[in-house]
Amino acid sequence: MLFTVARGDLGMYELIGEISRWAIPVTLLLVPLLAFIRGVPVFEIFVEGAAEGFTTAIKTIPYLVAMLVAISIFRASGAMEVLVHVLSPILDPLGFPPEVLPHAVMRPLSGGAALGIATDLIATHGPDSFIGRLVSTMQGSTDTTFYVLTLYFGSVGITRYRYAIISGLAADFTSLVASVFIVNRMFS
């Protein structure tokens, strides 16, 4: 076990546990109550927000479908296997197992696809293996850059992403390098 709890600290952990358990229900009660006290028409505002959310969901469907089709074509074409084969000699000496490359490529594109790859890798190699720990760290520390850009920018009509793609991919790459470094340092 990495962390141990001293007997005297147990009360603090129980307190934090209780605060965590009640934080969301109390917030969900207090926000509408305070709005009602201030004279805000709570139900009308809620319905208006729900209608806007539904409209946004409808507007994003074409962007989502296009992205999912592109991901499916990339995976079904065998391009992923070719990429892994080409980059394996470069990544292996850097401490980056080639088996994890499909996850690193899919994570910026699709959270569901990346989670599926991570699940397969963990089932194959085990959760406490180097690959299991690395893919878990990558899954938790990176984001679905293209999904976020497609969904959120598309829903509000932004067509020129400017530096958003470069910034997002730079953050993903930084998280990838940090994940490999940290897992190599902690678990090798």
Side-chain angles (χ1 to χ4, degrees), residues 97-104 114-127 129 131-136 138:
E99 298 91 348
V100 180
L101 186 60
H103 181 270
L115 185 59
I117 293 169
T119 302
D120 289 344
L121 287 170
I122 290 170
T124 302
H125 299 281
S129 68
I131 289 174
R133 289 177 172 157
L134 178 58
V135 78
S136 297
M138 290 167 54

Side-chain angles (χ1 to χ4, degrees), residues 55-166:
T55 303
T56 301
I58 296 297
K59 284 171 50 178
T60 60
I61 288 174
Y63 297 99
L64 257 147
V65 170
M67 186 186 67
L68 292 174
V69 167
I71 290 169
S72 297
I73 291 170
F74 180 73
R75 291 186 77 186
S77 70
M80 180 71 76
E81 289 79 20
V82 171
L83 187 65
V84 169
H85 181 72
V86 168
L87 293 178
S88 290
I90 299 166
L91 297 176
D92 228 1
L94 299 175
F96 186 86
E99 298 91 348
V100 180
L101 186 60
H103 181 270
V105 170
M106 291 308 291
R107 184 65 178 148
L109 299 170
S110 168
L115 185 59
I117 293 169
T119 302
D120 289 344
L121 287 170
I122 290 170
T124 302
H125 299 281
D128 291 329
S129 68
F130 179 78
I131 289 174
R133 289 177 172 157
L134 178 58
V135 78
S136 297
T137 304
M138 290 167 54
Q139 182 74 19
S141 63
T142 57
D143 204 353
T144 52
T145 301
F146 288 104
Y147 176 82
V148 168
L149 293 176
T150 302
L151 186 66
Y152 298 132
F153 282 25
S155 69
V156 294
I158 296 173
T159 57
R160 296 182 59 169
Y161 294 166
R162 295 189 67 162
Y163 301 110
I165 292 175
I166 294 169

